[in-house]
Amino acid sequence: MSGYTLAVHELSFVPEGDGVVVGRLDTGSYAVFPSDGAELLKRLTEGMALDEAAAWYEETFSEPVDVEDFVSTLHELGFVREAGGAPLAPAAPVRFQRLGRAAFSPVAWVCYLAVLAAWVVTVTAHRELLPAPSQIFFVKSLLVVQLVITFGQVPLLLAHEGFHILAGRRLGLPTKLRLSNRLTYIVAETQTNGLMSVDRRRRYLPFLAGMVCDGVVLATLGLIAEAGRHGGGGFSLTGRLCLALAFTVVMRIVWQFQLYLRTDLYYVFATALRCYDLHDASKALLRNRFWRLLRRPERQVDEGQWTDQDRKVGTIYGPFVLLGFCVLAAITVFASIPVTVSYFRLAGHAIGSGRIDSHFWDSLLSLVLNAAQTTALIVLSRRKRREQRSAAPTSLNEG
């Protein structure tokens, strides 16, 4: 390999602890390299020949390096261009970067905090503004409730994801939105491939931006409901609508604590603990312990595909998974069950009354809409499983 140089894609190098996170911004392929391996890779990206790079490494670190194995790893990660392939064209400037900076400017933060503070003061004086399951049924028509709750959440969900997107665009990172599911939830997901290309401390805001939006939206809906009261008494139709939507926002905030679903807070938690694939590492460690107890070593997976830190934290991750299931139980007991019981009680009363009137058709159509939502959830879940089976594993490795 005398004089042979390697054609490498444009890579980012972010020091973290004892290692360096190296990756491609365009594909989202990243790996954790030891510092000496990252220095060797930098020499190759600068055009140093492989034999010269091997000699430089041995002289610098007083030990030889298996260049062929190192290059093979780079190929597996997609860091190497095909022979004769031209470098990728420079990425187009990220759109809405200026808007992202404005959305998280000091002036914007003052406005967000002012709205939240006003809501806290108002709720303290008027406890009936606190979100409750009964607020979902803001009108007698179940169909209207179903349609409003289903489609009314769309702009709120897009606002949540929009804040994630703007927080990423603010850093000059490309982002995209996709529809998916988490267990029984239909969710929208923001994918920010290049987030590992920035310093760890700058990743927290893109992860938390959606919850910032939810907090501001919750406060805004509560203040609108209070402002629309009839002479300080009962809530107007607009006010009741705002409180119904505010309850769904609270559920979305609480949902983030289900860490086993890889929510926004899971990524904050993993980032703070310097982990890269804590979710899969913890599951693999748990499965391996199970198979070791059964003396079935052939069923165990190679734990070396995760970083030392992922494996270390993964062994004590169980209580946090338990916390997530406790949150799920709380949501089920205090929100899902009360709403479901009230819904079917009202629907059953209308359909079982023996009268074919507007309430009968309203309840029947609402049930049909619920069935359609369930079908959509099943379709999304199956599609996601197919994609996962066809996709290759992409966990972050130690190079």
mmCIF file with all atom_site columns, all heavy atoms in Angstrom, residues 283-306:
data_model
loop_
_atom_site.group_PDB
_atom_site.id
_atom_site.type_symbol
_atom_site.label_atom_id
_atom_site.label_alt_id
_atom_site.label_comp_id
_atom_site.label_asym_id
_atom_site.label_entity_id
_atom_site.label_seq_id
_atom_site.pdbx_PDB_ins_code
_atom_site.Cartn_x
_atom_site.Cartn_y
_atom_site.Cartn_z
_atom_site.occupancy
_atom_site.B_iso_or_equiv
_atom_site.pdbx_formal_charge
_atom_site.auth_seq_id
_atom_site.auth_comp_id
_atom_site.auth_asym_id
_atom_site.auth_atom_id
_atom_site.pdbx_PDB_model_num
ATOM 1   N N   . LYS A 1 283 ? -30.849 -3.119  27.083 1.00 0.00 ? 283 LYS A N   1
ATOM 2   C CA  . LYS A 1 283 ? -31.664 -4.282  26.741 1.00 0.00 ? 283 LYS A CA  1
ATOM 3   C C   . LYS A 1 283 ? -30.778 -5.493  26.456 1.00 0.00 ? 283 LYS A C   1
ATOM 4   O O   . LYS A 1 283 ? -31.090 -6.617  26.875 1.00 0.00 ? 283 LYS A O   1
ATOM 5   C CB  . LYS A 1 283 ? -32.542 -3.977  25.527 1.00 0.00 ? 283 LYS A CB  1
ATOM 6   C CG  . LYS A 1 283 ? -33.675 -3.025  25.798 1.00 0.00 ? 283 LYS A CG  1
ATOM 7   C CD  . LYS A 1 283 ? -34.739 -3.087  24.714 1.00 0.00 ? 283 LYS A CD  1
ATOM 8   C CE  . LYS A 1 283 ? -34.177 -2.816  23.343 1.00 0.00 ? 283 LYS A CE  1
ATOM 9   N NZ  . LYS A 1 283 ? -35.231 -2.841  22.300 1.00 0.00 ? 283 LYS A NZ  1
ATOM 10  N N   . ALA A 1 284 ? -29.678 -5.275  25.748 1.00 0.00 ? 284 ALA A N   1
ATOM 11  C CA  . ALA A 1 284 ? -28.768 -6.378  25.430 1.00 0.00 ? 284 ALA A CA  1
ATOM 12  C C   . ALA A 1 284 ? -28.138 -6.951  26.695 1.00 0.00 ? 284 ALA A C   1
ATOM 13  O O   . ALA A 1 284 ? -28.016 -8.178  26.845 1.00 0.00 ? 284 ALA A O   1
ATOM 14  C CB  . ALA A 1 284 ? -27.689 -5.895  24.467 1.00 0.00 ? 284 ALA A CB  1
ATOM 15  N N   . LEU A 1 285 ? -27.729 -6.085  27.613 1.00 0.00 ? 285 LEU A N   1
ATOM 16  C CA  . LEU A 1 285 ? -27.137 -6.549  28.860 1.00 0.00 ? 285 LEU A CA  1
ATOM 17  C C   . LEU A 1 285 ? -28.126 -7.365  29.670 1.00 0.00 ? 285 LEU A C   1
ATOM 18  O O   . LEU A 1 285 ? -27.778 -8.390  30.271 1.00 0.00 ? 285 LEU A O   1
ATOM 19  C CB  . LEU A 1 285 ? -26.640 -5.350  29.678 1.00 0.00 ? 285 LEU A CB  1
ATOM 20  C CG  . LEU A 1 285 ? -25.434 -4.594  29.112 1.00 0.00 ? 285 LEU A CG  1
ATOM 21  C CD1 . LEU A 1 285 ? -25.223 -3.289  29.859 1.00 0.00 ? 285 LEU A CD1 1
ATOM 22  C CD2 . LEU A 1 285 ? -24.185 -5.460  29.198 1.00 0.00 ? 285 LEU A CD2 1
ATOM 23  N N   . LEU A 1 286 ? -29.377 -6.903  29.686 1.00 0.00 ? 286 LEU A N   1
ATOM 24  C CA  . LEU A 1 286 ? -30.411 -7.626  30.423 1.00 0.00 ? 286 LEU A CA  1
ATOM 25  C C   . LEU A 1 286 ? -30.656 -9.001  29.806 1.00 0.00 ? 286 LEU A C   1
ATOM 26  O O   . LEU A 1 286 ? -30.754 -10.012 30.523 1.00 0.00 ? 286 LEU A O   1
ATOM 27  C CB  . LEU A 1 286 ? -31.706 -6.810  30.435 1.00 0.00 ? 286 LEU A CB  1
ATOM 28  C CG  . LEU A 1 286 ? -32.882 -7.413  31.212 1.00 0.00 ? 286 LEU A CG  1
ATOM 29  C CD1 . LEU A 1 286 ? -32.508 -7.574  32.685 1.00 0.00 ? 286 LEU A CD1 1
ATOM 30  C CD2 . LEU A 1 286 ? -34.121 -6.538  31.072 1.00 0.00 ? 286 LEU A CD2 1
ATOM 31  N N   . ARG A 1 287 ? -30.734 -9.039  28.466 1.00 0.00 ? 287 ARG A N   1
ATOM 32  C CA  . ARG A 1 287 ? -30.933 -10.328 27.795 1.00 0.00 ? 287 ARG A CA  1
ATOM 33  C C   . ARG A 1 287 ? -29.749 -11.260 28.037 1.00 0.00 ? 287 ARG A C   1
ATOM 34  O O   . ARG A 1 287 ? -29.931 -12.460 28.265 1.00 0.00 ? 287 ARG A O   1
ATOM 35  C CB  . ARG A 1 287 ? -31.141 -10.120 26.293 1.00 0.00 ? 287 ARG A CB  1
ATOM 36  C CG  . ARG A 1 287 ? -32.511 -9.580  25.934 1.00 0.00 ? 287 ARG A CG  1
ATOM 37  C CD  . ARG A 1 287 ? -32.787 -9.761  24.450 1.00 0.00 ? 287 ARG A CD  1
ATOM 38  N NE  . ARG A 1 287 ? -31.808 -9.039  23.631 1.00 0.00 ? 287 ARG A NE  1
ATOM 39  C CZ  . ARG A 1 287 ? -31.980 -7.814  23.168 1.00 0.00 ? 287 ARG A CZ  1
ATOM 40  N NH1 . ARG A 1 287 ? -33.113 -7.163  23.442 1.00 0.00 ? 287 ARG A NH1 1
ATOM 41  N NH2 . ARG A 1 287 ? -31.055 -7.230  22.431 1.00 0.00 ? 287 ARG A NH2 1
ATOM 42  N N   . ASN A 1 288 ? -28.537 -10.715 27.982 1.00 0.00 ? 288 ASN A N   1
ATOM 43  C CA  . ASN A 1 288 ? -27.359 -11.552 28.209 1.00 0.00 ? 288 ASN A CA  1
ATOM 44  C C   . ASN A 1 288 ? -27.339 -12.142 29.618 1.00 0.00 ? 288 ASN A C   1
ATOM 45  O O   . ASN A 1 288 ? -26.954 -13.304 29.822 1.00 0.00 ? 288 ASN A O   1
ATOM 46  C CB  . ASN A 1 288 ? -26.081 -10.756 27.963 1.00 0.00 ? 288 ASN A CB  1
ATOM 47  C CG  . ASN A 1 288 ? -25.762 -10.618 26.484 1.00 0.00 ? 288 ASN A CG  1
ATOM 48  O OD1 . ASN A 1 288 ? -26.460 -11.153 25.635 1.00 0.00 ? 288 ASN A OD1 1
ATOM 49  N ND2 . ASN A 1 288 ? -24.713 -9.890  26.164 1.00 0.00 ? 288 ASN A ND2 1
ATOM 50  N N   . ARG A 1 289 ? -27.730 -11.348 30.608 1.00 0.00 ? 289 ARG A N   1
ATOM 51  C CA  . ARG A 1 289 ? -27.796 -11.876 31.972 1.00 0.00 ? 289 ARG A CA  1
ATOM 52  C C   . ARG A 1 289 ? -28.802 -13.019 32.059 1.00 0.00 ? 289 ARG A C   1
ATOM 53  O O   . ARG A 1 289 ? -28.579 -14.029 32.733 1.00 0.00 ? 289 ARG A O   1
ATOM 54  C CB  . ARG A 1 289 ? -28.172 -10.761 32.958 1.00 0.00 ? 289 ARG A CB  1
ATOM 55  C CG  . ARG A 1 289 ? -27.029 -9.822  33.282 1.00 0.00 ? 289 ARG A CG  1
ATOM 56  C CD  . ARG A 1 289 ? -27.299 -9.037  34.553 1.00 0.00 ? 289 ARG A CD  1
ATOM 57  N NE  . ARG A 1 289 ? -28.417 -8.117  34.385 1.00 0.00 ? 289 ARG A NE  1
ATOM 58  C CZ  . ARG A 1 289 ? -28.289 -6.858  34.016 1.00 0.00 ? 289 ARG A CZ  1
ATOM 59  N NH1 . ARG A 1 289 ? -27.086 -6.369  33.738 1.00 0.00 ? 289 ARG A NH1 1
ATOM 60  N NH2 . ARG A 1 289 ? -29.347 -6.077  33.904 1.00 0.00 ? 289 ARG A NH2 1
ATOM 61  N N   . PHE A 1 290 ? -29.924 -12.832 31.356 1.00 0.00 ? 290 PHE A N   1
ATOM 62  C CA  . PHE A 1 290 ? -30.958 -13.868 31.349 1.00 0.00 ? 290 PHE A CA  1
ATOM 63  C C   . PHE A 1 290 ? -30.434 -15.163 30.739 1.00 0.00 ? 290 PHE A C   1
ATOM 64  O O   . PHE A 1 290 ? -30.601 -16.257 31.299 1.00 0.00 ? 290 PHE A O   1
ATOM 65  C CB  . PHE A 1 290 ? -32.180 -13.365 30.573 1.00 0.00 ? 290 PHE A CB  1
ATOM 66  C CG  . PHE A 1 290 ? -33.255 -14.391 30.390 1.00 0.00 ? 290 PHE A CG  1
ATOM 67  C CD1 . PHE A 1 290 ? -34.099 -14.726 31.430 1.00 0.00 ? 290 PHE A CD1 1
ATOM 68  C CD2 . PHE A 1 290 ? -33.422 -15.027 29.157 1.00 0.00 ? 290 PHE A CD2 1
ATOM 69  C CE1 . PHE A 1 290 ? -35.098 -15.681 31.256 1.00 0.00 ? 290 PHE A CE1 1
ATOM 70  C CE2 . PHE A 1 290 ? -34.414 -15.966 28.967 1.00 0.00 ? 290 PHE A CE2 1
ATOM 71  C CZ  . PHE A 1 290 ? -35.252 -16.298 30.034 1.00 0.00 ? 290 PHE A CZ  1
ATOM 72  N N   . TRP A 1 291 ? -29.749 -15.063 29.584 1.00 0.00 ? 291 TRP A N   1
ATOM 73  C CA  . TRP A 1 291 ? -29.258 -16.266 28.920 1.00 0.00 ? 291 TRP A CA  1
ATOM 74  C C   . TRP A 1 291 ? -28.096 -16.890 29.676 1.00 0.00 ? 291 TRP A C   1
ATOM 75  O O   . TRP A 1 291 ? -27.909 -18.120 29.627 1.00 0.00 ? 291 TRP A O   1
ATOM 76  C CB  . TRP A 1 291 ? -28.844 -15.944 27.483 1.00 0.00 ? 291 TRP A CB  1
ATOM 77  C CG  . TRP A 1 291 ? -30.002 -15.608 26.601 1.00 0.00 ? 291 TRP A CG  1
ATOM 78  C CD1 . TRP A 1 291 ? -30.206 -14.454 25.899 1.00 0.00 ? 291 TRP A CD1 1
ATOM 79  C CD2 . TRP A 1 291 ? -31.132 -16.447 26.318 1.00 0.00 ? 291 TRP A CD2 1
ATOM 80  N NE1 . TRP A 1 291 ? -31.391 -14.506 25.212 1.00 0.00 ? 291 TRP A NE1 1
ATOM 81  C CE2 . TRP A 1 291 ? -31.979 -15.722 25.448 1.00 0.00 ? 291 TRP A CE2 1
ATOM 82  C CE3 . TRP A 1 291 ? -31.516 -17.728 26.724 1.00 0.00 ? 291 TRP A CE3 1
ATOM 83  C CZ2 . TRP A 1 291 ? -33.176 -16.235 24.982 1.00 0.00 ? 291 TRP A CZ2 1
ATOM 84  C CZ3 . TRP A 1 291 ? -32.716 -18.248 26.251 1.00 0.00 ? 291 TRP A CZ3 1
ATOM 85  C CH2 . TRP A 1 291 ? -33.531 -17.508 25.397 1.00 0.00 ? 291 TRP A CH2 1
ATOM 86  N N   . ARG A 1 292 ? -27.312 -16.070 30.403 1.00 0.00 ? 292 ARG A N   1
ATOM 87  C CA  . ARG A 1 292 ? -26.254 -16.645 31.229 1.00 0.00 ? 292 ARG A CA  1
ATOM 88  C C   . ARG A 1 292 ? -26.833 -17.483 32.368 1.00 0.00 ? 292 ARG A C   1
ATOM 89  O O   . ARG A 1 292 ? -26.294 -18.540 32.710 1.00 0.00 ? 292 ARG A O   1
ATOM 90  C CB  . ARG A 1 292 ? -25.355 -15.535 31.786 1.00 0.00 ? 292 ARG A CB  1
ATOM 91  C CG  . ARG A 1 292 ? -24.286 -15.052 30.809 1.00 0.00 ? 292 ARG A CG  1
ATOM 92  C CD  . ARG A 1 292 ? -23.208 -14.257 31.500 1.00 0.00 ? 292 ARG A CD  1
ATOM 93  N NE  . ARG A 1 292 ? -23.708 -12.984 31.994 1.00 0.00 ? 292 ARG A NE  1
ATOM 94  C CZ  . ARG A 1 292 ? -23.679 -11.852 31.291 1.00 0.00 ? 292 ARG A CZ  1
ATOM 95  N NH1 . ARG A 1 292 ? -23.177 -11.840 30.065 1.00 0.00 ? 292 ARG A NH1 1
ATOM 96  N NH2 . ARG A 1 292 ? -24.150 -10.737 31.801 1.00 0.00 ? 292 ARG A NH2 1
ATOM 97  N N   . LEU A 1 293 ? -27.923 -17.007 32.946 1.00 0.00 ? 293 LEU A N   1
ATOM 98  C CA  . LEU A 1 293 ? -28.579 -17.768 34.006 1.00 0.00 ? 293 LEU A CA  1
ATOM 99  C C   . LEU A 1 293 ? -29.087 -19.107 33.485 1.00 0.00 ? 293 LEU A C   1
ATOM 100 O O   . LEU A 1 293 ? -29.080 -20.110 34.207 1.00 0.00 ? 293 LEU A O   1
ATOM 101 C CB  . LEU A 1 293 ? -29.737 -16.959 34.599 1.00 0.00 ? 293 LEU A CB  1
ATOM 102 C CG  . LEU A 1 293 ? -29.361 -15.771 35.480 1.00 0.00 ? 293 LEU A CG  1
ATOM 103 C CD1 . LEU A 1 293 ? -30.607 -14.977 35.878 1.00 0.00 ? 293 LEU A CD1 1
ATOM 104 C CD2 . LEU A 1 293 ? -28.642 -16.260 36.742 1.00 0.00 ? 293 LEU A CD2 1
ATOM 105 N N   . LEU A 1 294 ? -29.530 -19.124 32.239 1.00 0.00 ? 294 LEU A N   1
ATOM 106 C CA  . LEU A 1 294 ? -30.031 -20.361 31.629 1.00 0.00 ? 294 LEU A CA  1
ATOM 107 C C   . LEU A 1 294 ? -28.920 -21.191 30.987 1.00 0.00 ? 294 LEU A C   1
ATOM 108 O O   . LEU A 1 294 ? -29.199 -22.223 30.366 1.00 0.00 ? 294 LEU A O   1
ATOM 109 C CB  . LEU A 1 294 ? -31.099 -20.039 30.581 1.00 0.00 ? 294 LEU A CB  1
ATOM 110 C CG  . LEU A 1 294 ? -32.390 -19.373 31.084 1.00 0.00 ? 294 LEU A CG  1
ATOM 111 C CD1 . LEU A 1 294 ? -33.359 -19.170 29.941 1.00 0.00 ? 294 LEU A CD1 1
ATOM 112 C CD2 . LEU A 1 294 ? -33.027 -20.206 32.196 1.00 0.00 ? 294 LEU A CD2 1
ATOM 113 N N   . ARG A 1 295 ? -27.672 -20.704 31.110 1.00 0.00 ? 295 ARG A N   1
ATOM 114 C CA  . ARG A 1 295 ? -26.514 -21.389 30.528 1.00 0.00 ? 295 ARG A CA  1
ATOM 115 C C   . ARG A 1 295 ? -26.697 -21.597 29.023 1.00 0.00 ? 295 ARG A C   1
ATOM 116 O O   . ARG A 1 295 ? -26.504 -22.704 28.500 1.00 0.00 ? 295 ARG A O   1
ATOM 117 C CB  . ARG A 1 295 ? -26.278 -22.729 31.242 1.00 0.00 ? 295 ARG A CB  1
ATOM 118 C CG  . ARG A 1 295 ? -26.014 -22.581 32.734 1.00 0.00 ? 295 ARG A CG  1
ATOM 119 C CD  . ARG A 1 295 ? -25.711 -23.931 33.377 1.00 0.00 ? 295 ARG A CD  1
ATOM 120 N NE  . ARG A 1 295 ? -25.538 -23.792 34.817 1.00 0.00 ? 295 ARG A NE  1
ATOM 121 C CZ  . ARG A 1 295 ? -24.414 -23.416 35.423 1.00 0.00 ? 295 ARG A CZ  1
ATOM 122 N NH1 . ARG A 1 295 ? -23.353 -23.103 34.686 1.00 0.00 ? 295 ARG A NH1 1
ATOM 123 N NH2 . ARG A 1 295 ? -24.348 -23.321 36.734 1.00 0.00 ? 295 ARG A NH2 1
ATOM 124 N N   . ARG A 1 296 ? -27.068 -20.513 28.345 1.00 0.00 ? 296 ARG A N   1
ATOM 125 C CA  . ARG A 1 296 ? -27.240 -20.549 26.894 1.00 0.00 ? 296 ARG A CA  1
ATOM 126 C C   . ARG A 1 296 ? -26.343 -19.474 26.270 1.00 0.00 ? 296 ARG A C   1
ATOM 127 O O   . ARG A 1 296 ? -26.826 -18.451 25.760 1.00 0.00 ? 296 ARG A O   1
ATOM 128 C CB  . ARG A 1 296 ? -28.708 -20.297 26.514 1.00 0.00 ? 296 ARG A CB  1
ATOM 129 C CG  . ARG A 1 296 ? -29.683 -21.357 27.014 1.00 0.00 ? 296 ARG A CG  1
ATOM 130 C CD  . ARG A 1 296 ? -29.544 -22.634 26.213 1.00 0.00 ? 296 ARG A CD  1
ATOM 131 N NE  . ARG A 1 296 ? -29.766 -22.403 24.796 1.00 0.00 ? 296 ARG A NE  1
ATOM 132 C CZ  . ARG A 1 296 ? -30.982 -22.367 24.239 1.00 0.00 ? 296 ARG A CZ  1
ATOM 133 N NH1 . ARG A 1 296 ? -32.067 -22.510 24.981 1.00 0.00 ? 296 ARG A NH1 1
ATOM 134 N NH2 . ARG A 1 296 ? -31.104 -22.181 22.932 1.00 0.00 ? 296 ARG A NH2 1
ATOM 135 N N   . PRO A 1 297 ? -25.035 -19.657 26.303 1.00 0.00 ? 297 PRO A N   1
ATOM 136 C CA  . PRO A 1 297 ? -24.121 -18.614 25.797 1.00 0.00 ? 297 PRO A CA  1
ATOM 137 C C   . PRO A 1 297 ? -24.308 -18.324 24.319 1.00 0.00 ? 297 PRO A C   1
ATOM 138 O O   . PRO A 1 297 ? -23.993 -17.221 23.860 1.00 0.00 ? 297 PRO A O   1
ATOM 139 C CB  . PRO A 1 297 ? -22.732 -19.197 26.080 1.00 0.00 ? 297 PRO A CB  1
ATOM 140 C CG  . PRO A 1 297 ? -22.944 -20.675 26.183 1.00 0.00 ? 297 PRO A CG  1
ATOM 141 C CD  . PRO A 1 297 ? -24.298 -20.841 26.791 1.00 0.00 ? 297 PRO A CD  1
ATOM 142 N N   . GLU A 1 298 ? -24.816 -19.293 23.547 1.00 0.00 ? 298 GLU A N   1
ATOM 143 C CA  . GLU A 1 298 ? -24.978 -19.072 22.110 1.00 0.00 ? 298 GLU A CA  1
ATOM 144 C C   . GLU A 1 298 ? -26.063 -18.040 21.807 1.00 0.00 ? 298 GLU A C   1
ATOM 145 O O   . GLU A 1 298 ? -26.119 -17.495 20.707 1.00 0.00 ? 298 GLU A O   1
ATOM 146 C CB  . GLU A 1 298 ? -25.295 -20.395 21.397 1.00 0.00 ? 298 GLU A CB  1
ATOM 147 C CG  . GLU A 1 298 ? -26.707 -20.931 21.610 1.00 0.00 ? 298 GLU A CG  1
ATOM 148 C CD  . GLU A 1 298 ? -26.879 -21.653 22.945 1.00 0.00 ? 298 GLU A CD  1
ATOM 149 O OE1 . GLU A 1 298 ? -25.899 -21.705 23.721 1.00 0.00 ? 298 GLU A OE1 1
ATOM 150 O OE2 . GLU A 1 298 ? -27.990 -22.158 23.199 1.00 0.00 ? 298 GLU A OE2 1
ATOM 151 N N   . ARG A 1 299 ? -26.934 -17.755 22.784 1.00 0.00 ? 299 ARG A N   1
ATOM 152 C CA  . ARG A 1 299 ? -28.005 -16.772 22.576 1.00 0.00 ? 299 ARG A CA  1
ATOM 153 C C   . ARG A 1 299 ? -27.573 -15.356 22.953 1.00 0.00 ? 299 ARG A C   1
ATOM 154 O O   . ARG A 1 299 ? -28.321 -14.409 22.740 1.00 0.00 ? 299 ARG A O   1
ATOM 155 C CB  . ARG A 1 299 ? -29.247 -17.150 23.398 1.00 0.00 ? 299 ARG A CB  1
ATOM 156 C CG  . ARG A 1 299 ? -29.838 -18.511 23.084 1.00 0.00 ? 299 ARG A CG  1
ATOM 157 C CD  . ARG A 1 299 ? -30.335 -18.587 21.660 1.00 0.00 ? 299 ARG A CD  1
ATOM 158 N NE  . ARG A 1 299 ? -31.386 -17.633 21.397 1.00 0.00 ? 299 ARG A NE  1
ATOM 159 C CZ  . ARG A 1 299 ? -32.689 -17.890 21.566 1.00 0.00 ? 299 ARG A CZ  1
ATOM 160 N NH1 . ARG A 1 299 ? -33.069 -19.082 22.008 1.00 0.00 ? 299 ARG A NH1 1
ATOM 161 N NH2 . ARG A 1 299 ? -33.597 -16.984 21.274 1.00 0.00 ? 299 ARG A NH2 1
ATOM 162 N N   . GLN A 1 300 ? -26.386 -15.225 23.531 1.00 0.00 ? 300 GLN A N   1
ATOM 163 C CA  . GLN A 1 300 ? -25.920 -13.914 23.957 1.00 0.00 ? 300 GLN A CA  1
ATOM 164 C C   . GLN A 1 300 ? -25.391 -13.113 22.763 1.00 0.00 ? 300 GLN A C   1
ATOM 165 O O   . GLN A 1 300 ? -24.894 -13.685 21.790 1.00 0.00 ? 300 GLN A O   1
ATOM 166 C CB  . GLN A 1 300 ? -24.821 -14.050 25.011 1.00 0.00 ? 300 GLN A CB  1
ATOM 167 C CG  . GLN A 1 300 ? -25.283 -14.747 26.288 1.00 0.00 ? 300 GLN A CG  1
ATOM 168 C CD  . GLN A 1 300 ? -24.165 -14.902 27.295 1.00 0.00 ? 300 GLN A CD  1
ATOM 169 O OE1 . GLN A 1 300 ? -23.335 -14.004 27.437 1.00 0.00 ? 300 GLN A OE1 1
ATOM 170 N NE2 . GLN A 1 300 ? -24.121 -16.035 27.973 1.00 0.00 ? 300 GLN A NE2 1
ATOM 171 N N   . VAL A 1 301 ? -25.500 -11.804 22.856 1.00 0.00 ? 301 VAL A N   1
ATOM 172 C CA  . VAL A 1 301 ? -24.997 -10.924 21.800 1.00 0.00 ? 301 VAL A CA  1
ATOM 173 C C   . VAL A 1 301 ? -23.666 -10.329 22.233 1.00 0.00 ? 301 VAL A C   1
ATOM 174 O O   . VAL A 1 301 ? -23.332 -10.300 23.421 1.00 0.00 ? 301 VAL A O   1
ATOM 175 C CB  . VAL A 1 301 ? -26.002 -9.787  21.494 1.00 0.00 ? 301 VAL A CB  1
ATOM 176 C CG1 . VAL A 1 301 ? -27.322 -10.348 21.019 1.00 0.00 ? 301 VAL A CG1 1
ATOM 177 C CG2 . VAL A 1 301 ? -26.224 -8.903  22.726 1.00 0.00 ? 301 VAL A CG2 1
ATOM 178 N N   . ASP A 1 302 ? -22.908 -9.871  21.265 1.00 0.00 ? 302 ASP A N   1
ATOM 179 C CA  . ASP A 1 302 ? -21.600 -9.280  21.536 1.00 0.00 ? 302 ASP A CA  1
ATOM 180 C C   . ASP A 1 302 ? -21.778 -7.906  22.159 1.00 0.00 ? 302 ASP A C   1
ATOM 181 O O   . ASP A 1 302 ? -22.292 -6.978  21.524 1.00 0.00 ? 302 ASP A O   1
ATOM 182 C CB  . ASP A 1 302 ? -20.803 -9.178  20.233 1.00 0.00 ? 302 ASP A CB  1
ATOM 183 C CG  . ASP A 1 302 ? -19.444 -8.529  20.435 1.00 0.00 ? 302 ASP A CG  1
ATOM 184 O OD1 . ASP A 1 302 ? -18.974 -8.495  21.590 1.00 0.00 ? 302 ASP A OD1 1
ATOM 185 O OD2 . ASP A 1 302 ? -18.858 -8.066  19.439 1.00 0.00 ? 302 ASP A OD2 1
ATOM 186 N N   . GLU A 1 303 ? -21.360 -7.757  23.403 1.00 0.00 ? 303 GLU A N   1
ATOM 187 C CA  . GLU A 1 303 ? -21.508 -6.481  24.105 1.00 0.00 ? 303 GLU A CA  1
ATOM 188 C C   . GLU A 1 303 ? -20.459 -5.467  23.667 1.00 0.00 ? 303 GLU A C   1
ATOM 189 O O   . GLU A 1 303 ? -20.560 -4.282  23.992 1.00 0.00 ? 303 GLU A O   1
ATOM 190 C CB  . GLU A 1 303 ? -21.415 -6.706  25.615 1.00 0.00 ? 303 GLU A CB  1
ATOM 191 C CG  . GLU A 1 303 ? -22.538 -7.588  26.168 1.00 0.00 ? 303 GLU A CG  1
ATOM 192 C CD  . GLU A 1 303 ? -22.404 -7.853  27.657 1.00 0.00 ? 303 GLU A CD  1
ATOM 193 O OE1 . GLU A 1 303 ? -21.483 -7.269  28.275 1.00 0.00 ? 303 GLU A OE1 1
ATOM 194 O OE2 . GLU A 1 303 ? -23.212 -8.625  28.197 1.00 0.00 ? 303 GLU A OE2 1
ATOM 195 N N   . GLY A 1 304 ? -19.478 -5.918  22.900 1.00 0.00 ? 304 GLY A N   1
ATOM 196 C CA  . GLY A 1 304 ? -18.421 -5.022  22.452 1.00 0.00 ? 304 GLY A CA  1
ATOM 197 C C   . GLY A 1 304 ? -18.872 -4.013  21.424 1.00 0.00 ? 304 GLY A C   1
ATOM 198 O O   . GLY A 1 304 ? -18.126 -3.082  21.105 1.00 0.00 ? 304 GLY A O   1
ATOM 199 N N   . GLN A 1 305 ? -20.089 -4.165  20.882 1.00 0.00 ? 305 GLN A N   1
ATOM 200 C CA  . GLN A 1 305 ? -20.573 -3.202  19.896 1.00 0.00 ? 305 GLN A CA  1
ATOM 201 C C   . GLN A 1 305 ? -21.050 -1.908  20.540 1.00 0.00 ? 305 GLN A C   1
ATOM 202 O O   . GLN A 1 305 ? -21.422 -0.976  19.841 1.00 0.00 ? 305 GLN A O   1
ATOM 203 C CB  . GLN A 1 305 ? -21.702 -3.831  19.072 1.00 0.00 ? 305 GLN A CB  1
ATOM 204 C CG  . GLN A 1 305 ? -22.909 -4.270  19.880 1.00 0.00 ? 305 GLN A CG  1
ATOM 205 C CD  . GLN A 1 305 ? -23.924 -5.010  19.036 1.00 0.00 ? 305 GLN A CD  1
ATOM 206 O OE1 . GLN A 1 305 ? -24.442 -4.467  18.065 1.00 0.00 ? 305 GLN A OE1 1
ATOM 207 N NE2 . GLN A 1 305 ? -24.201 -6.257  19.382 1.00 0.00 ? 305 GLN A NE2 1
ATOM 208 N N   . TRP A 1 306 ? -21.062 -1.861  21.883 1.00 0.00 ? 306 TRP A N   1
ATOM 209 C CA  . TRP A 1 306 ? -21.420 -0.634  22.586 1.00 0.00 ? 306 TRP A CA  1
ATOM 210 C C   . TRP A 1 306 ? -20.217 -0.105  23.360 1.00 0.00 ? 306 TRP A C   1
ATOM 211 O O   . TRP A 1 306 ? -19.290 -0.866  23.683 1.00 0.00 ? 306 TRP A O   1
ATOM 212 C CB  . TRP A 1 306 ? -22.581 -0.896  23.553 1.00 0.00 ? 306 TRP A CB  1
ATOM 213 C CG  . TRP A 1 306 ? -23.871 -1.137  22.840 1.00 0.00 ? 306 TRP A CG  1
ATOM 214 C CD1 . TRP A 1 306 ? -24.696 -0.203  22.265 1.00 0.00 ? 306 TRP A CD1 1
ATOM 215 C CD2 . TRP A 1 306 ? -24.476 -2.413  22.561 1.00 0.00 ? 306 TRP A CD2 1
ATOM 216 N NE1 . TRP A 1 306 ? -25.770 -0.812  21.673 1.00 0.00 ? 306 TRP A NE1 1
ATOM 217 C CE2 . TRP A 1 306 ? -25.669 -2.161  21.828 1.00 0.00 ? 306 TRP A CE2 1
ATOM 218 C CE3 . TRP A 1 306 ? -24.148 -3.728  22.863 1.00 0.00 ? 306 TRP A CE3 1
ATOM 219 C CZ2 . TRP A 1 306 ? -26.507 -3.186  21.407 1.00 0.00 ? 306 TRP A CZ2 1
ATOM 220 C CZ3 . TRP A 1 306 ? -24.976 -4.744  22.443 1.00 0.00 ? 306 TRP A CZ3 1
ATOM 221 C CH2 . TRP A 1 306 ? -26.142 -4.464  21.719 1.00 0.00 ? 306 TRP A CH2 1
#
